[in-house]
Every structure is written in C-alpha cells, then in structure tokens.
Amino acid sequence: MITTTFTAKTYQNYINNEWADTIAEDTIVSINPADKEPVGYVQKSTKSDLEKAVEAAHHAKKSWRRLGQSARGQLLFKTANILEENLDEIAETMTREMGKTLPEAKGETARGIAILRYYAGEGMRKEGDVIPSSDKDALMFTKRTPLGVVGVITPWNFPVAIPIWKMAPALVYGNTVVWKPATEGAVTAAKVMECFAKAGFPAGVINFITGSGSVIGQGLIDHPLLNAITFTGSEQVGKGVAQSAAARGIKFQLEMGGKNPVIVAKDANIDQAVEAVISGGFRSSGQKCTASSRVIVESSVFEEFKEKLVKETEKITVGNGLQEGIWMGPCASESQFNTVNEYIEIGKQEGAKLVYGGEVLTGDEYDKGFFVTPAIFEKVSPDMKIAQDEIFGPVIALIKASDLEEAISIANHTKYGLSASIFTSNISSLMEFIDEIEAGLVRINAESAGVELQAPFGGMKASSTGSREQGEAAKEFYTSIKTVFIKGS
Ligand code: NAP
Ligand code: MG
C-alpha cells in the first residue's frame, strides 16, 4: 500500500556546510517512472557553483587530514545512525525516483548504513606497515596519506549504496569530497546528503552539487584543484572521464558496464539456477551493473532450463514498486524504457526468438509509467547485439553451448568482465571456471548480482580501470603511500 502523502520539493546544493540555490536560479525536475509525476526538483548548477564547491573542499583538506583517522571515523558512525533513522523515507524516495521496489530500496539503504559503519571502523585500524630496514639502526615504515580533494560522480541505479561506498572510504582516509550525483537519482542523493550534513562534518569536507554531467561532471574533472576522481557509470562517459583525468595527471578510478554471463552446466541444480537467473536478471528491472544478461546453457539441459525459467518468469508481478506484491518496478526513465524496447526489436530482427515477455504494459495505471514485462530470448548467437551490448533492462539472452569449454569461451566473448556465475555440482568444472573466466566477481552456484561490502568489488576488461572498490581494497585508491625512513642523530 502507498500510505504516505507526498509533495515534490526543491532540493539545494550543499557547499561549505550551507544549503544553497544555484546562482542561475534554475532547477531540473526528477520524474517518477511509475507515474511520470515529479518527485522533486534539484539545482541546475553552473560552473560558478562548482567553483565554490571545489574551493571549499580545497580549503578544508588540511584541517580534515590533521583531525586524524579515528575522529573522522566517529563522524561516519554518526552519519550511519542518522541514515538509519531516515531509512524508510529515503527508501521510499528511491522507489519513487528510480522505480526499484520498496523492499529492494530498503535493502540498499540498509547496505549504505552497513558500509558507513564498516569504514567508520577503519578509523581504528592501521594506516601503515613497519618494514625491516637494511640498516639495523633505522626505523622504516609506510604511512598512508590522503589524496586531497576527491570528485565523486555516481549513477542513478544505486543512488544510496554507490555514493556511500565511495565517500565513506574517501572521508575516513582523510580526503575531502565534491559529489555530483546522477540527475535521475538526485533527489534520493540529496536526502543522503542531508544525513551527512546533520552529522556535523567541518565546513567544506563534503560538498554536494547537482546539474548536468557534461557541465558539472566534466567541470569537476577538469578543475585544477581536484586531486582524484572516482566514477561509476556507463562505459561511454567513463572513457571520456579517463581521458580528461589522464590528461591532467590525476588519479582516477572507473567502474562501468557489464554483460554478465551465467553458465548452466549439465550437472547444475536447475531449480537453483532458475531462481538465481530470475533474481540476477530481473530484480531492479535488470538495471544493475552486475545483472545477469547472458545465460549460457549446456544443450542437454537447455529445454528443461528454458521451460522452468519461463514458467517462473510468468509469475513476476510488474507495477509500482511502492505497492505490496509487486516484484518488478518500471524502467527507471523514459530513455531506459526506450532502450529496452529498441533492443527487443533488434533481437527479433537479428533472428533471436522472443519466448517470453518484452511487452509494453498498457491500461489503467500502466499507461502512466514505463512498464515492460521481463523478456527472454532464445536462439541467440554470441555475436548478436543483444548478446554483446549492455541493455541495462529486464532482458535475458539464452545461448546454447555444446559443452563446458564452449560455454566458458562464449562467456568470455564480450568486451566486459564484471561478474560471472556458473551453476554446477562438478568440482572440476567449477575449478576450470574460476581459472578461465574473465571477470572480477566469480560466483559459483550463486547469482551474478550479489555483492558483499567487506570484499573487493570491480571488473576486468572494459568494465573497469582495474582498481577495486569496497572492503580493504578501497584504501588503495583513496590514499597514497609515504615510505618513511628514520635514523637517530
Ligand atoms: P552515465 O550516463 O554514464 O552517468 C553516470 C554519471 O556521470 C552521472 O552522474 C552523469 O550525470 C555523469 N556524467 C554524464 N556525462 C558526463 C560527462 N561528460 N562528464 C562527467 N560526468 C558525466 O551512467 P548512468 O546511466 O547514470 O548509469 C548506468 C551505467 O552505470 C550502466 O552502464 C551501468 O552498468 C553502470 N554501472 C556500473 C557499476 C559498476 O560498479 N561497475 C555500478 C552501477 C552502474 P547526469 O546524470 O547528470 O547525466
Ligand atoms: Mg526518475
């Protein structure tokens, strides 16, 4: 049931500990993809607003670094508690703004809280190592030091968890932050920012600025006072981010798209595989970078798997994610919706066979939103566009393989390398898969879209710049190492 009454408000930038309108007095509307109604308005900021945000972060960096890791961690604990108090409201906003169902939105917000607490704990952990010197009278050790001002550019599909898994480590390791959220998730982002603001960080330590990617995102990367950039989003935008950052000589990290395979081997537990493919492929309407989009099935179990998959997919309820009993929400925006429909047409034209779904839902409340039914294609060959391009929607391509070796080779036949799963009960098969698969996340008898905050996260090939986020791995990006050598005088 949709219980709360709702009004679309206007949200401001947060610069140097003050909420402020853009000097341009212009806003951007954020739309609910379930009913096309406004969810809120955010600032359409200009380069002058950005200038203030980066300068504030620059001025704050020395005192923030000197505050010490433990005190910085305490502020993250506070933020976690405030986010927890606001969990329901933030999750509801997320569902309204980008469509994922309320239980998923609550799960993501809870994940954000857990990530804050994990990195808050980093405040009490080591910041270097002692290394034996060849001089017995010397002390040699490493000391982690922050990078300075870190730019954070985030996508709309995880508007709470992704910003937090970037900002929490950036902050605890002593960096100051300028955060530019995705426009399509900017209202949810503003509510996350409110939690940071209430926690009482010193002025300038964390700044929030909304606006277009090409003006504010690009302007941030190009700003001479920026020391590093962390980006999650599309491959297309990411490539430009890399070029700009490399030209400036600043540290950068990119996490981008995926075309994640699931192999169903002949000895798989088929029911388990079906459940995982449905969850990995269709939750969040397939709009996860780790979503399962290619399912490669050994020919001897292909028909059985397909029939069970279709039977279970038929049970999926599509609708407004705020309503109880809805399993899959709308596509997050009109452009996502159009992309999904275009790819369904492309798949048919390429000669793949649509065995289920892929229909635009119409009538009553469906007319008001961007709803499609989950789609399953068979007779897909590995080179088709629907088997190569990241669709970022609820579309699964079933590909037949004659044996495990061929299945792995098809799985690797993509420019991406984020996540990959296999379903098998054969130890040799899973060992071969672990060795041969080109993916940063390797999942055995588990869906492709699972992530644990205490473990490294990131992709290979075109999915990533190869660095890792989350867990201890985040430290490698957000700090630099000083090697210190001390000798008595
Ligand atoms: P996107 O269009 O690339 O946008 C990502 C962010 O970049 C947004 O904040 C966007 O701002 C900004 N941006 C756009 N143009 C820019 C430019 N020229 N310079 C600097 N910044 C710019 O991606 P999206 O549609 O939000 O997210 C979907 C994509 O993210 C998918 O490809 C998905 O696979 C990927 N993703 C990857 C991961 C991962 O960890 N590997 C996780 C989640 C999502 P505006 O919103 O204002 O355009
Ligand atoms: Mg929206």
Side-chain angles (χ1 to χ4, degrees):
M1 273 299 289
I2 305 165
T3 45
T4 51
T5 49
F6 178 78
T7 32
K9 294 186 200 141
T10 300
Y11 296 84
Q12 294 176 302
N13 291 329
Y14 189 74
I15 297 172
N16 215 17
N17 277 15
E18 279 175 22
W19 292 101
D21 288 344
T22 162
I23 56 157
E25 296 181 5
D26 200 0
T27 58
I28 312 172
V29 63
S30 185
I31 296 292
N32 182 340
D35 60 16
K36 301 182 194 170
E37 294 292 331
V39 177
Y41 302 84
V42 297
Q43 303 301 312
K44 189 172 181 186
S45 308
T46 65
K47 285 269 176 72
S48 326
D49 303 305
L50 178 65
E51 192 62 37
K52 286 186 200 151
V54 181
E55 270 176 18
H58 176 72
H59 288 303
K61 72 185 187 182
K62 190 165 179 183
S63 54
W64 181 240
R65 168 168 58 79
R66 289 185 167 181
L67 184 66
Q69 200 157 310
S70 168
R72 294 193 297 260
Q74 289 306 316
L75 283 164
L76 292 184
F77 275 124
K78 262 188 158 175
T79 312
N81 293 345
I82 298 165
L83 187 59
E84 197 162 44
E85 284 159 22
N86 292 283
L87 185 148
D88 287 337
E89 193 201 328
I90 289 175
E92 233 179 87
T93 305
M94 192 191 312
T95 298
R96 283 205 163 86
E97 189 171 34
M98 58 71 66
K100 73 173 66 170
T101 64
L102 193 55
E104 283 182 86
K106 284 186 178 172
E108 181 186 334
T109 311
R111 175 61 64 102
I113 295 160
I115 296 168
L116 281 165
R117 291 194 172 129
Y118 176 89
Y119 286 107
E122 273 296 285
M124 303 298 278
R125 292 186 200 111
K126 65 172 187 168
E127 50 177 359
D129 296 300
V130 176
I131 297 154
S133 166
S134 50
D135 181 340
K136 69 175 176 45
D137 298 322
L139 170 64
M140 187 163 67
F141 62 92
T142 59
K143 186 172 167 52
R144 296 269 175 178
T145 188
L147 304 174
V149 180
V150 174
V152 173
I153 301 181
T154 52
W156 47 262
N157 66 332
F158 287 97
V160 172
I162 292 179
I164 290 178
W165 86 46
K166 292 178 182 300
M167 294 195 291
L171 292 168
V172 80
Y173 298 130
N175 304 283
T176 58
V177 162
V178 178
W179 174 24
K180 166 16 211 153
T183 302
E184 274 156 8
V187 169
T188 311
K191 287 189 180 282
V192 171
M193 188 59 230
E194 286 172 358
C195 298
F196 278 96
K198 281 184 199 142
F201 285 81
V205 167
I206 167 165
N207 304 278
F208 172 80
I209 178 163
T210 56
S212 89
S214 54
V215 177
I216 302 302
Q218 187 66 46
L220 181 57
I221 305 157
D222 291 337
H223 199 290
L225 294 178
L226 195 83
N227 302 109
I229 183 88
T230 174
F231 167 91
T232 296
S234 62
E235 191 201 349
Q236 190 194 357
V237 175
K239 276 183 178 159
V241 172
Q243 275 171 2
S244 306
R248 286 212 35 228
I250 59 170
K251 200 169 178 184
F252 63 96
Q253 172 187 59
L254 315 175
E255 287 302 333
M256 297 166 289
K259 190 70 188 172
N260 311 293
V262 179
I263 293 178
V264 182
K266 59 178 184 289
D267 45 37
N269 176 331
I270 299 292
D271 293 335
Q272 186 188 29
V274 165
E275 197 184 322
V277 164
I278 287 182
S279 178
F282 300 139
R283 278 217 186 268
S284 277
S285 307
Q287 300 164 131
K288 294 184 187 180
C289 51
T290 50
S292 315
S293 54
R294 295 178 296 144
V295 185
I296 303 150
V297 189
E298 275 195 65
S299 43
S300 58
V301 292
F302 187 91
E303 289 304 318
E304 180 193 354
F305 175 81
K306 181 185 81 183
E307 274 160 31
K308 284 188 168 165
L309 181 70
V310 169
K311 207 167 139 230
E312 289 305 308
T313 304
E314 280 168 355
K315 295 179 190 163
I316 290 178
T317 47
V318 181
N320 187 328
L322 286 179
Q323 267 160 4
E324 259 175 53
I326 293 299
W327 194 92
M328 191 177 102
C331 297
S333 64
E334 185 165 16
S335 80
Q336 286 297 124
F337 174 75
N338 290 340
T339 306
V340 168
N341 291 323
E342 277 162 27
Y343 272 103
I344 285 165
E345 278 316 304
I346 289 170
K348 289 177 191 164
Q349 279 160 23
E350 286 180 307
K353 184 176 165 209
L354 188 62
V355 283
Y356 182 76
E359 297 146 338
V360 172
L361 288 164
T362 53
D364 299 334
E365 67 167 322
Y366 288 134
D367 287 338
K368 290 189 267 167
F370 304 117
F371 296 100
V372 291
T373 53
I376 302 170
F377 276 102
E378 68 165 331
K379 303 208 185 309
V380 179
S381 67
D383 283 314
M384 286 180 182
K385 274 176 82 64
I386 58 163
Q388 289 293 324
D389 297 358
E390 183 189 47
I391 301 172
F392 223 53
V395 184
I396 282 175
L398 297 181
I399 304 172
K400 218 183 255 187
S402 53
D403 57 19
L404 183 71
E405 203 185 326
E406 192 192 29
I408 294 177
S409 132
I410 294 169
N412 285 336
H413 183 61
T414 163
K415 63 180 169 178
Y416 295 114
L418 186 52
S419 183
S421 291
I422 189 170
F423 286 81
T424 178
S425 51
N426 182 308
I427 289 183
S428 309
S429 303
L430 70 87
M431 296 302 278
E432 188 181 339
F433 180 76
I434 295 168
D435 279 345
E436 298 303 323
I437 196 71
E438 294 160 1
L441 305 165
V442 180
R443 318 259 311 158
I444 315 297
N445 295 323
E447 71 166 82
S448 67
V451 167
E452 299 216 26
L453 65 98
Q454 69 278 26
F457 172 83
M460 291 180 179
K461 304 197 284 190
S463 292
S464 167
T465 38
S467 60
R468 292 289 179 264
E469 303 198 88
Q470 306 198 58
E472 273 186 60
K475 199 187 265 183
E476 297 306 324
F477 180 72
Y478 293 104
T479 64
S480 186
I481 293 175
K482 285 180 177 168
T483 303
V484 184
F485 180 90
I486 310 178
K487 203 163 171 186
S489 67

